[in-house]
Amino acid sequence: MNEKVNLNVNGIEIESDPNKLLIEACEDSGIHIPRFCWHKRLDPVGMCRMCLVEVETPRGKMLVPSCTTEVSDEMVVDTESDVVKKAQEGVLEFLLINHPLDCPICDKAGECPLQDQTMAYGPGESRFVEEKRHFEKPINISEIILLDRERCILCARCTRFSDEISGDPLIEFIQRGNKTEVNTFPNEPFKSYFSGNTVQICPVGALTSTSYRFKARPWDLKSTRSTCNGCSMGCSTELNSSQNKMLRILGVDNDTVNQGWLCDKGRYNFEYLNSDSRLKTPLKKIENELVEIEIQDVYSELSEVIKDRQTKVNFLLGSNLTNEDYVAFREFSEIISQSEKCFYLNDDMLHPGFFGENVELAKVDDLNSSDAIVVWAEDLKEKIPVLYLRIRQAVKNGVKLVVFGHTNETLSDIADVFYGKETVSENFEIVKDISKLKEIKEYVIGKNITAILGKSTPHQSDKSVTKLFEFLNSNSNSKVLNAYSKGNTYGAFQTLENVKGLNDFVNDISEENTDLLFIVGADPVGRSVYSNQIKSIIEGLDKVVALDNFNHETSELANFLIPMSSTLGEKEGTFTNIEFRTSRIDKLVPSPGQTVSDWEFITSLMNFAGLTVETNSLESLNKKAYENLDPSLSPVFDNLDKPSNLDGMVNVSKPKISSTDNNSNEVKFFTGEKLYGDSATERHSDSISLLGSKKYIEVGEGVIEKYNLTSGKCTLIQDEFEVAVSYEVNKSFPNDLIYIPTNRRELNKFDFSREIMIIPSLVKEALDVN
Amino acid sequence: MSWDDKLLKQAKKIIKLYPQKRSALGPLLHLAQSKDGYISDDSITVISELVGITEVQVKSVSTFYSMYKQEPTGKYLLSVCKSISCEINNSSEVINKVQEFTGLNNNETDEEELFTFEAVECIGACGGAPAVQVNYETVEGVTPENAINLCKWLKETKPDVVVADEMQENFGGIKSFDWAIQDNSGATSTAPGFQTLKTTKVKK
């Protein structure tokens, strides 16, 4: 099977794997064949005919499209003959017949495959003197994507992407022949979490994004390779900036992680970097007013607090820090703090996970090589979108998908088995005997399994997932991918000991054990389900220092507010993803005003307090982070910068998570987060803020009857607090279940352990009038 | 949903004939055509839900094929062949006469919504050129005069079922094949007459 085949291309002998496409085999051997429609990650379609080459056949030399022809042994190919050249000129002349040639005002000009290949292979002159085909110039096919049908060359890359890769085919070819155009159905916009990828793979300027449109020319762009820290997938990105402003993020084809794709949040959320509302100077709260102060004054005030090394310091750390930042806090804690050494992560879903001795941890690539994937976790499409794409890809390749729980409804469409409300109760417990489920017997028992496991909702007890884990572990050859979704959670695992989540923060932190609290890049008041409790805890503390990009609901409670530089292109460091793959985060633009990196702040503070630290530079922190690992395999900068390691280095180390179970047997409300919310960064990104953070709830069918809901709107009331929301019925929910997305302001302010009243809006209006 | 129960029942019956739901797309579009005289966006929404693909995918198919009309058609769709066999047998004159009689340009529908006229490519009746179709019921060997008579007859009697054999007898001439079985069934709408779709009826 693994035998190679030999081909002769342009007189050169090359070797290739069998079953490869000719265009790919040539590419691998350094022979470039021009193309528009063919894309490595999409099925071949043979639309554009640009890749025609001559192949010797029993009937003589023939022109064949190399993107739909598989290699065979002793194939003789000519990619540069006169016939091929004539074919290429002809194809380009045809493609340019209706192309408007508005390159001077086109965003793609300068990096346009059509422009480049016309220069390289084109006829130089057109014989077409007639009127070109006309369409309305760019139409909005979604809030953030524009389509110029005149520029389109009908390569079908975007339509294939949305059909094959992201699975939401909302754009298609309409009409036929000369009238063919790409379009959406009327009033059914291209609302996809992955729509930005179509802009990136469009070989002409037909698809553009509102975000980057008319902002820069490719030859003005500075670029660097980095890693997205939006979720725990850690997609490889290319950052582009011009005149010190970040303008665009592109996906980089990292075979083992994101394969070139990004979700729209990862692609467009950078816009907050350029927001005017960013914190630029340190602020101090004096009599409830925030007053600008010098950073030196912050250092001197705080150094008074920490100087005697008797201070009880606690840390609430966000997931958008680099590993080096985490290490800086760890070192700081070791030197200064007298309280128990532990770190609270800004995660209301943190749980001990499955990292024990008997667990084999999975890599993302294992999805493709296992017999079946078993998922019971948060909604992966909402929380780790690109992992969802990888699952889709595995399923397309024939891997069976077994999904538990109504939380993962978006996977149910492609799942071979979806164990919904009949199997998983409202309290998030599996109510059936797992071993007796028919499909489990068929797909799981005794097979190679990749299990993606995690909590589905903050109030769920850890025990229910553990039950499934134990079943899988003893009945199949399983590997586990722990589905912690938040940013650099795995970086925190790798660098910090004794990490806990927000449920423990709420129970542990009090005035007695906390003299000083650092809140770094975290807004638990604005986003977590423990909002009210955390707010009152922070209000009860004497000294709170918040480091953040924006002033938000949590940071406004702090005594000091330090402007933080963003991990998205404003600082260097490393990031560790869901499979413990550590890769580089790079700096491309200067951070505004007096913003500082977290590690700079904490190191300067220690220096100011006269405490000598050896980790006083980024490099030393980086080395410190991985000092226990084998030097040749440790992801220090020197290693990561080697060309062979650009995709990151995997270094599995089992974390110490000391989070406790909240043991609740009764989940009254199913809370979770959707991809788009209204956190401070999302509100200040123009594109993301358009994509919807509408306040709504999803309900099981029984809820409609129970509360007599009719108008599509209702009001949630608890004590004096009320929020008006719209509701949607979700048929896969257990009857009485109510889902509340908590990454919307106000919706997380309820006490979810108590009853929340639901009143239909018509009744509410009548009550208000009276 | 804008389809009545009877039509939905029929649609579900059609879907059952295929191993995959989406394979029923073509027939369902014919069904939609027989209901409204064209493929309305409402019908597309209904079909997309029935076969489990997105609306734009249905739209893509329906706009690809010219027999699925994007605009409402009249009661009678007059298709006159303009391809080579018919052309050399004087189809251009047939086209002229029909256009003159109906006052319609290509792909137009008259105000009473009685006639839609189209000049079409080969309809597979070269042996009996020039050929005309009324609601996809073929009449062969049609002279310009008989074309007008055909139109007049349609306008005056307004038959609900259009039968090929009946029109052939009254207005046709030479036929490609004269050994076919006499068939008294015909089309009831501007969708072709298929028994499984119930777009055909026997004329009494």
Side-chain angles (χ1 to χ4, degrees):
Chain A
M1 191 57 205
N2 287 325
E3 267 176 39
K4 300 265 183 187
V5 294
N6 295 300
L7 299 81
N8 182 317
V9 182
N10 301 341
I12 305 161
E13 293 292 330
I14 67 165
E15 217 178 45
S16 159
D17 288 328
N19 304 328
K20 252 195 175 167
L21 293 170
L22 185 52
I23 193 169
E24 209 171 359
C26 288
E27 184 98 347
D28 292 347
S29 307
I31 299 160
H32 181 80
I33 298 173
R35 86 295 299 260
F36 295 109
C37 68
W38 184 76
H39 188 282
K40 188 166 111 181
R41 300 289 178 192
L42 302 172
D43 289 345
V45 64
M47 263 332 247
C48 72
R49 319 311 277 184
M50 191 62 205
C51 66
L52 289 171
V53 294
E54 266 194 307
V55 174
E56 272 179 25
T57 72
R59 289 185 290 164
K61 281 186 168 184
M62 283 176 82
L63 277 175
V64 298
S66 57
C67 74
T68 53
T69 308
E70 277 186 13
V71 293
S72 56
D73 206 18
E74 296 185 14
M75 202 176 208
V76 180
V77 184
D78 198 336
T79 71
E80 292 170 340
S81 68
D82 289 343
V83 178
V84 171
K85 277 196 177 127
K86 199 172 171 207
Q88 288 167 343
E89 286 190 2
V91 168
L92 273 166
E93 193 175 358
F94 271 125
L95 286 178
L96 291 172
I97 274 181
N98 277 313
H99 192 76
L101 294 173
D102 52 355
C103 309
I105 56 152
C106 178
D107 282 304
K108 199 77 176 185
E111 54 178 11
C112 174
L114 182 61
Q115 202 178 33
D116 294 347
Q117 290 180 38
T118 303
M119 291 297 288
Y121 306 98
E125 250 174 69
S126 172
R127 288 168 288 180
F128 189 75
V129 291
E130 291 81 0
E131 179 88 7
K132 290 184 188 238
R133 187 177 54 180
H134 287 297
F135 284 110
E136 189 187 335
K137 273 289 188 183
I139 50 168
N140 270 295
I141 56 171
S142 78
E143 281 95 342
I144 55 169
I145 308 290
L146 295 144
L147 169 66
D148 183 332
R149 289 162 295 174
E150 290 186 345
R151 289 179 189 157
C152 177
I153 57 165
L154 306 176
C155 68
R157 276 188 181 189
C158 55
T159 55
R160 277 180 292 152
F161 172 84
S162 66
D163 189 18
E164 294 165 21
I165 307 289
S166 67
D168 39 20
L170 295 169
I171 46 172
E172 250 308 343
F173 283 147
I174 306 287
Q175 304 284 2
R176 177 176 45 146
N178 186 45
K179 289 183 187 162
T180 315
E181 56 177 288
V182 173
N183 213 330
T184 59
F185 191 69
N187 302 322
E188 195 63 44
F190 184 37
K191 256 194 179 351
S192 165
Y193 282 172
F194 305 98
S195 60
N197 293 303
T198 61
V199 176
Q200 185 175 340
I201 60 174
C202 181
V204 294
L207 286 160
T208 47
S209 65
T210 50
S211 170
Y212 177 70
R213 199 171 153 77
F214 301 140
K215 290 275 167 63
R217 286 308 200 172
W219 51 86
D220 291 332
L221 292 176
K222 251 172 68 181
S223 84
T224 187
R225 189 172 159 159
S226 188
T227 306
C228 177
N229 69 338
C231 73
S232 57
M233 192 67 183
C235 299
S236 295
T237 58
E238 183 191 316
L239 311 177
N240 287 165
S241 74
S242 174
Q243 300 179 8
N244 285 337
K245 259 176 107 175
M246 182 87 85
L247 290 178
R248 179 170 73 168
I249 294 182
L250 297 173
V252 171
D253 197 329
N254 181 340
D255 188 51
T256 45
V257 185
N258 60 324
Q259 308 196 331
W261 314 130
L262 292 180
C263 67
D264 284 0
K265 189 164 165 190
R267 191 180 291 269
Y268 298 120
N269 201 29
F270 73 90
E271 292 169 8
Y272 76 82
L273 294 176
N274 305 325
S275 162
D276 291 335
S277 317
R278 278 203 48 191
L279 288 175
K280 296 193 180 86
T281 49
L283 301 167
K284 183 186 178 184
K285 193 184 267 172
I286 303 171
E287 290 169 0
N288 273 327
E289 291 275 314
L290 284 170
V291 183
E292 286 188 13
I293 61 167
E294 291 298 319
I295 190 102
Q296 263 68 21
D297 297 337
V298 180
Y299 291 143
S300 69
E301 277 198 47
L302 289 179
S303 61
E304 287 302 316
V305 182
I306 60 168
K307 214 159 49 182
D308 56 2
R309 302 194 184 192
Q310 296 297 320
T311 331
K312 288 175 265 182
V313 188
N314 272 307
F315 305 88
L316 174 54
L317 305 178
S319 56
N320 55 352
L321 278 64
T322 61
N323 294 357
E324 287 67 25
D325 292 328
Y326 287 125
V327 173
F329 283 106
R330 185 184 79 193
E331 295 299 298
F332 177 78
S333 158
E334 260 161 36
I335 294 171
I336 306 292
S337 183
Q338 291 303 310
S339 59
E340 188 204 354
K341 302 265 179 314
C342 75
F343 297 87
Y344 297 94
L345 297 185
N346 177 31
D347 190 347
D348 48 20
M349 304 273 276
L350 201 74
H351 58 108
F354 306 101
F355 294 105
E357 289 296 313
N358 56 346
V359 181
E360 193 183 344
L361 294 179
K363 305 228 171 57
V364 176
D365 263 352
D366 291 334
L367 294 174
N368 277 328
S369 56
S370 47
D371 298 323
I373 303 167
V374 180
V375 182
W376 193 16
E378 290 177 87
D379 192 334
L380 295 175
K381 189 176 180 184
E382 305 288 344
K383 300 307 306 250
I384 317 179
V386 175
L387 184 62
Y388 164 81
L389 293 187
R390 293 298 306 269
I391 295 173
R392 270 191 65 89
Q393 179 197 44
V395 171
K396 210 177 150 206
N397 292 340
V399 179
K400 299 289 178 204
L401 177 62
V402 180
V403 177
F404 280 88
H406 31 270
T407 48
N408 252 312
E409 197 207 340
T410 42
L411 279 176
S412 66
D413 292 347
I414 51 167
D416 294 273
V417 201
F418 175 52
Y419 292 119
K421 56 186 169 189
E422 289 81 18
T423 315
V424 178
S425 72
E426 287 161 50
N427 297 336
F428 292 84
E429 285 186 18
I430 296 177
V431 289
K432 289 190 181 164
D433 184 349
I434 303 172
S435 61
K436 290 200 174 125
L437 296 169
K438 181 172 151 261
E439 293 85 356
I440 291 281
K441 281 186 196 157
E442 193 181 339
Y443 299 143
V444 174
I445 294 178
K447 298 282 173 67
N448 293 321
I449 303 298
T450 304
I452 304 179
L453 300 176
K455 270 166 93 162
S456 309
T457 185
H459 293 99
Q460 181 187 2
S461 164
D462 302 344
K463 292 184 194 103
S464 46
V465 189
T466 309
K467 198 169 127 192
L468 177 61
F469 160 75
E470 278 164 0
F471 173 82
L472 294 174
N473 214 22
S474 50
N475 290 295
S476 67
N477 178 19
S478 61
K479 293 179 179 177
V480 177
L481 199 62
N482 285 284
Y484 298 99
S485 62
K486 290 210 157 83
N488 199 6
T489 306
Y490 280 80
F493 290 166
Q494 213 172 30
T495 49
L496 303 176
E497 293 199 345
N498 207 357
V499 292
K500 294 180 172 184
L502 288 178
N503 58 332
D504 290 304
F505 182 87
V506 171
N507 294 328
D508 295 355
I509 300 291
S510 65
E511 215 176 334
E512 284 77 52
N513 63 14
T514 313
D515 298 327
L516 178 61
L517 173 68
F518 283 97
I519 304 175
V520 188
D523 181 12
V525 178
R527 293 217 26 185
S528 82
V529 294
Y530 302 107
S531 174
N532 295 331
Q533 287 154 286
I534 292 175
K535 189 173 178 187
S536 59
I537 288 170
I538 295 176
E539 280 172 342
L541 297 178
D542 275 348
K543 269 216 159 40
V544 179
V545 181
L547 284 89
D548 217 303
N549 304 126
F550 293 95
N551 189 5
H552 48 63
E553 286 173 79
T554 310
S555 62
E556 69 187 13
L557 305 172
N559 307 89
F560 291 98
L561 203 47
I562 314 298
M564 184 171 98
S565 49
S566 168
T567 316
L568 241 170
E570 289 179 356
K571 66 184 183 197
E572 283 186 80
T574 51
F575 174 98
T576 304
N577 87 345
I578 194 161
E579 55 174 7
F580 288 97
R581 175 181 298 275
T582 304
S583 51
R584 192 75 197 251
I585 280 180
D586 207 1
K587 176 176 170 153
L588 184 67
V589 290
S591 56
Q594 298 180 46
T595 49
V596 286
S597 297
D598 306 323
W599 70 267
E600 279 171 345
F601 175 79
I602 217 75
T603 313
S604 309
L605 177 59
M606 284 196 279
N607 283 336
F608 213 93
L611 306 164
T612 42
V613 273
E614 51 179 298
T615 50
N616 55 4
S617 69
L618 188 65
E619 280 66 28
S620 56
L621 284 165
N622 177 254
K623 287 210 172 73
K624 189 88 185 166
Y626 311 109
E627 64 185 353
N628 298 327
L629 301 174
D630 174 0
S632 64
L633 293 170
S634 91
V636 292
F637 290 153
D638 285 347
N639 283 341
L640 285 176
D641 289 343
K642 286 177 190 157
S644 57
N645 290 334
L646 285 178
D647 286 350
M649 299 168 76
V650 178
N651 232 311
V652 177
S653 47
K654 300 212 167 166
K656 297 194 179 75
I657 303 164
S658 43
S659 132
T660 51
D661 193 357
N662 43 25
N663 276 321
S664 65
N665 290 321
E666 205 175 315
V667 181
K668 284 210 174 68
F669 297 93
F670 164 28
T671 59
E673 294 182 358
K674 292 280 169 195
L675 180 64
Y676 303 126
D678 60 1
S679 68
T681 56
E682 286 162 304
R683 284 202 300 280
H684 293 103
S685 294
D686 292 340
S687 298
I688 303 296
S689 64
L690 285 173
L691 294 174
S693 51
K694 76 166 183 179
K695 294 198 175 70
Y696 83 108
I697 58 172
E698 281 172 37
V699 294
E701 285 171 300
V703 177
I704 298 290
E705 272 174 49
K706 189 174 164 193
Y707 295 98
N708 210 356
L709 300 177
T710 47
S711 64
K713 290 201 169 94
C714 62
T715 306
L716 305 179
I717 301 181
Q718 191 175 54
D719 305 332
E720 298 292 290
F721 184 65
E722 56 180 63
V723 185
V725 294
S726 56
Y727 65 84
E728 284 167 19
V729 182
N730 191 326
K731 286 190 178 154
S732 65
F733 277 5
N735 245 358
D736 293 335
L737 196 79
I738 299 169
Y739 167 82
I740 304 181
T742 50
N743 58 343
R744 283 136 168 80
R745 277 179 296 175
E746 297 191 326
L747 280 181
N748 68 332
K749 299 286 185 301
F750 293 102
D751 177 356
F752 294 102
S753 59
R754 292 192 294 126
E755 209 55 49
I756 299 174
M757 297 241 294
I758 298 181
I759 296 184
S761 58
L762 292 174
V763 178
K764 177 83 175 61
E765 278 165 29
L767 285 174
D768 286 347
V769 172
N770 296 331
Chain B
M1 283 210 182
S2 64
W3 285 20
D4 60 22
D5 289 346
K6 199 178 146 205
L7 208 61
L8 283 174
K9 215 171 137 191
Q10 208 182 334
K12 280 171 192 157
K13 234 177 183 172
I14 293 166
I15 291 171
K16 275 200 195 127
L17 297 173
Y18 299 88
Q20 283 184 13
K21 279 182 172 186
R22 62 187 293 166
S23 308
L25 186 52
L28 290 182
L29 284 166
H30 279 310
L31 202 62
Q33 171 83 29
S34 74
K35 173 181 172 283
D36 295 330
Y38 76 113
I39 311 293
S40 66
D41 281 355
D42 281 348
S43 291
I44 288 180
T45 306
V46 173
I47 292 171
S48 83
E49 280 164 21
L50 284 171
V51 301
I53 58 178
T54 61
E55 289 157 314
V56 74
Q57 287 178 312
V58 179
K59 178 106 179 164
S60 180
V61 173
S62 80
T63 55
F64 184 87
Y65 296 104
S66 55
M67 275 168 75
Y68 301 131
K69 303 296 174 197
Q70 294 167 50
E71 301 289 333
T73 47
K75 191 173 166 74
Y76 304 112
L77 173 66
L78 305 173
S79 319
V80 186
C81 181
K82 62 175 179 181
S83 281
I84 186 152
S85 301
C86 292
E87 170 64 33
I88 54 182
N89 282 294
N90 208 16
S91 71
S92 52
E93 194 49 34
V94 177
I95 290 173
N96 284 341
K97 290 287 182 203
V98 174
Q99 284 194 321
E100 226 170 76
F101 180 83
T102 57
L104 295 172
N105 288 323
N106 202 11
N107 293 321
E108 272 185 0
T109 303
D110 59 21
E111 277 173 17
E112 305 98 275
E113 293 181 353
L114 188 66
F115 291 121
T116 299
F117 169 76
E118 60 178 4
V120 295
E121 300 303 338
C122 186
I123 50 177
C126 303
V132 174
Q133 284 181 330
V134 180
N135 292 354
Y136 301 110
E137 294 285 311
T138 309
V139 197
E140 295 173 85
V142 183
T143 58
E145 296 73 37
N146 265 344
I148 291 182
N149 292 337
L150 174 58
C151 293
K152 272 186 189 155
W153 173 73
L154 285 170
K155 196 170 180 174
E156 279 158 20
T157 60
K158 297 196 177 66
D160 284 333
V161 185
V162 189
V163 182
D165 283 356
E166 184 192 0
M167 292 189 292
Q168 182 70 39
E169 210 178 300
N170 297 333
F171 310 103
I174 184 172
K175 271 182 88 174
S176 304
F177 308 105
D178 49 12
W179 38 261
I181 302 162
Q182 189 75 30
D183 180 7
N184 210 24
S185 62
T188 55
S189 67
T190 55
F194 291 122
Q195 272 177 359
T196 45
L197 298 182
K198 297 187 179 148
T199 50
T200 180
K201 225 180 193 174
V202 177
K203 189 167 185 179
K204 301 229 169 82

